[in-house]
Amino acid sequence: MREHDRLFIGGQWADPAGTGTIEVVSPHTEEVVGRVPDGTEADMDAAVDAARRAFDGGPWPRMTPAERAEVLGRLSAIYAERQQSMADLVTEEMGSPILFSIFGQAALPQMVLQYYVDLAASFTWEDERAGMLGPVTVTREPIGVVAAIYPWNVPQFTLMLKLAPALVAGCTVVAKPSPEAPLDAYLLAEWAREAGLPDGVLNIVPAGREAGAYLVAHPGVDKVAFTGSTAAGRSIGAVCGQRLRPVTLELGGKSAAIILEDADLAATVEGLKMAALMNNGEACAAQTRILAPRSRYDEVAGALAAMVGDLVVGDPADYGTEIGPMAARRQRERVEGYIRIGRDEGATLLTGGLDRPHDRGWYVAPTLFGDVSNKMRIAREEIFGPVLALIPYDGEDDAVRIANDSDYGLGGSVWTADVAHGVEVARRIRTGSCGVNLYVLDPNTPFGGYKDSGLGRELGPEGLTAYLEHKAIPRPA
Ligand code: NAD
């Protein structure tokens, strides 16, 4: 049992203003495994105030990027050394299979941090240009106090996408973890203290959406970075629009995996295990619409159903587990609701369904629907669980049309024996990323969405620019 009765504010473990608590329940045992304070508006005030003082009074924003990178490099080294404890903790709080956790919930966030530590040395922080009347210095300055709000599915990754570039840039941060997965942020706070991050540069207040909304609108905040649902993103974007406050939004997805005529089916199905079902399918970039050429439809359906039906569903801490429980009871209800919807819409249940694999824990059976039309709700709405929709297509143009016929535009993939041709097809897909014969997020390449999948990009130099203001200083020759 992990009990935390304080919040991380101003570099100290501070008493919360209220008495409310958030219970963290294991999705596997359904037992309480942790407790943290439920942050209130008064706590958000205190955290923004601490971040504001650390930004306005320094030293953090006035240190050189190299000096900041040195501190963050120490944090990265601590993270690298102890990443197994982070992976175990995230698996315990939200049910990610441990083999995925080791990579996606711990190693990858550390890689993102190290990427930005390294980028500090090569990034162009300032350059000189020839202006009309004389030289101009163009400098990049930290944008200010950042509110970082993120979900429970990949908590450390979605936090680090914001935290690492914001801190390298010289910003200070108020982070709001979700009520479902707040424990990992406490471990990170300990490591940040140990690394010598100055007081107030990172502040952490777990809270629900009301306190989150209060933070978004807080007058002391200069930029909002949000990962979560499209519905919440719209409301946050509207508030930021009203206040002309810069905002980055990483929202939902309904990405398509296009299997071309010439694809090696065994390799494709193996690749889709990860691309479509990573992290129990609780992944915004999961390729949950599988597009198969009609000529090979039966073959694809058979191979995919065998793969999905054979997945090992069980205790996420077990190294043999491929699919763990859904992170929350309401998430299981949502996923089961979509399985009902798929059945009612007339899709063919190829494997899985509503029989729960285990009596205890929030498990759902990995499910594959066949004969799905792209008009069905299970093809249009984000399910956020291990439920796939197999959609037949007639010719490559039809595949591209179906892939693009979505409100979302986050990820995607093309599976083919001809990689160069796959790249040409990927270019036609209106999404922020589209892999060929794999799907991966690299720390040095931008990640984000078109359309309802969001605004702006995280990762890569693009992700750092999101935390910088550009200032021109012209002077006479
Ligand atoms: P959610 O939007 O309900 O919550 C996400 C976070 O935002 C939580 O911390 C929540 O407390 C907070 N929040 C919710 N409404 C808010 C508001 N109006 N103002 C301020 N804060 C608010 O999302 P969820 O259902 O918990 O998470 C799953 C969603 O996240 C999925 O839709 C998924 O696609 C999305 N997601 C996107 C990405 C990406 O990078 N595009 C990555 C992971 C998850």
Side-chain angles (χ1 to χ4, degrees), residues 209-231:
R209 49 187 61 190
E210 289 78 18
Y214 180 80
L215 176 63
V216 167
H218 200 291
V221 167
D222 297 304
K223 152 132 195 159
V224 176
F226 172 76
T227 297
S229 61
T230 293

Side-chain angles (χ1 to χ4, degrees), residues 154-237:
V154 269
Q156 281 290 299
F157 179 63
T158 49
L159 171 58
M160 201 58 88
L161 291 176
K162 300 157 184 54
L163 193 61
L167 295 189
V168 166
C171 297
T172 60
V173 173
V174 177
K176 193 205 80 64
S178 71
E180 291 84 357
L183 299 175
D184 53 284
Y186 279 82
L187 197 51
L188 184 67
E190 287 289 0
W191 296 349
R193 258 162 76 105
E194 219 176 304
L197 199 68
D199 292 353
V201 169
L202 169 63
N203 307 275
I204 298 172
V205 182
R209 49 187 61 190
E210 289 78 18
Y214 180 80
L215 176 63
V216 167
H218 200 291
V221 167
D222 297 304
K223 152 132 195 159
V224 176
F226 172 76
T227 297
S229 61
T230 293
R234 266 187 223 288
S235 116
I236 290 170

Side-chain angles (χ1 to χ4, degrees), residues 90-126:
V90 177
T91 285
E92 187 181 347
E93 66 181 337
M94 55 65 64
S96 190
I98 187 65
L99 276 185
F100 178 83
S101 254
I102 287 170
F103 177 68
Q105 311 281 15
L108 190 57
Q110 189 275 332
M111 284 165 63
V112 170
L113 177 56
Q114 187 60 47
Y115 166 73
Y116 282 108
V117 167
D118 294 340
L119 184 65
S122 61
F123 189 74
T124 303
W125 294 96
E126 199 159 288

Side-chain angles (χ1 to χ4, degrees), residues 149-153 158 176-179 207-209 212-213 216 226-229 232 235-236 250-252 284 330 382 384 410 447:
I149 299 175
Y150 58 98
W152 43 262
N153 62 328
T158 49
K176 193 205 80 64
S178 71
R209 49 187 61 190
V216 167
F226 172 76
T227 297
S229 61
S235 116
I236 290 170
E250 300 285 3
L251 309 176
C284 52
R330 79 175 159 98
E382 185 174 52
F384 228 56
L410 191 58
F447 173 64

Side-chain angles (χ1 to χ4, degrees), residues 352-364:
L354 288 167
D355 288 338
R356 293 178 178 167
H358 299 284
D359 296 336
R360 192 190 62 169
W362 299 319
Y363 290 93
V364 294

Side-chain angles (χ1 to χ4, degrees), residues 388-411:
L388 304 182
L390 180 60
I391 305 174
Y393 70 81
D394 298 294
E396 205 168 280
D397 287 346
D398 192 38
V400 170
R401 182 191 60 76
I402 295 170
N404 286 334
D405 177 15
S406 173
D407 293 337
Y408 293 111
L410 191 58

